[in-house]
Amino acid sequence: DSGVTQTPKHLITATGQRVTLRCSPRSGDLSVYWYQQSLDQGLQFLIQYYNGEERAKGNILERFSAQQFPDLHSELNLSSLELGDSALYFCASSVGAAAVDTQYFGPGTRLTVL
Amino acid sequence: GENVEQHPSTLSVQEGDSAVIKCTYSDSASNYFPWYKQELGKRPQLIIDIRSNVGEKKDQRIAVTLNKTAKHFSLHITETQPEDSAVYFCAADYNYGQNFVFGPGTRLSVLP
């Protein structure tokens, strides 16, 4: 157990809908990262927050957005969902903001868009 | 931005043999190279990492080597066991440590 929690574990929804994925980092960690992993695909970095502020952006679609709250938990919002958005979404946390700080991954949320 | 290539994409070895996975990166400023193991249906877990001021690092049966001049690094697993079967991802930082990018992964199968 990495200490990073994600809810829900599974999510099934329809095209065009909007969902929110939640992540709680390890105690003491200030950074939260979001990744998308499609079937048989690698990990695609979406976005990073550090202490409430957006720090780095990867291949995140405009239909997706995220935020980190004062208690450091983070939410990833996915809207106008398409079939291709079906994937495993991981969040990871680290103590600092730099890439050299070890990232600890949560268990993931499996999103299925029908 | 940084581009990380990883080879092979799949690798099968007999139990007890060694496995080697290689990654190349493009950003000469990269300084940090972690390796993650992801078992089926589970989260990626850091297994070893190396920083650019070190050429080799070992942890029991796992070792990583780094060649900064050639911009490649490799994961070596010796005396492989069935529980080593997983997908392995390499990664490299870029943009002066602002972030990092993963390789596409290697599916390792250790055959009993």
Side-chain angles (χ1 to χ4, degrees), chain B residues 2-3 5-6 35 47-48 57 66 71 73 81 96 98 100 110:
Chain B
E2 174 76 283
N3 182 44
E5 296 184 356
Q6 186 172 346
W35 285 89
I47 55 171
I48 196 167
K57 183 176 177 181
L66 171 64
K71 290 191 279 190
F73 56 111
Q81 300 167 3
Y96 300 99
Q98 294 285 314
F100 70 155
V110 179

Side-chain angles (χ1 to χ4, degrees), chain A residues 48 54 56 83 97 99 108 113:
Chain A
Q48 178 199 2
E54 181 185 305
L83 295 177
V113 182

Side-chain angles (χ1 to χ4, degrees), chain A residues 1-4 33 35 37 40-43 45 48 55-56 88 90 97-100 102-103 105-107, chain B residues 31-32 34 36 38 41-46 49 51 89 93-94 97-105 107:
Chain A
D1 185 1
S2 66
V4 179
Y33 300 77
Y35 293 91
Q37 187 175 40
D40 289 334
Q41 295 292 311
L43 289 155
F45 166 67
Q48 178 199 2
R55 189 162 188 283
L88 251 179
F90 286 104
V100 296
T102 300
Q103 293 185 27
F105 281 76
Chain B
N31 282 309
Y32 175 62
Y36 284 83
Q38 186 178 25
K42 299 202 174 167
R43 74 191 80 193
Q45 289 189 293
L46 179 73
D49 58 13
R51 287 168 170 74
F89 294 97
D93 75 309
Y94 65 97
Q98 294 285 314
N99 217 319
F100 70 155
V101 63
F102 285 86
R107 184 175 300 277

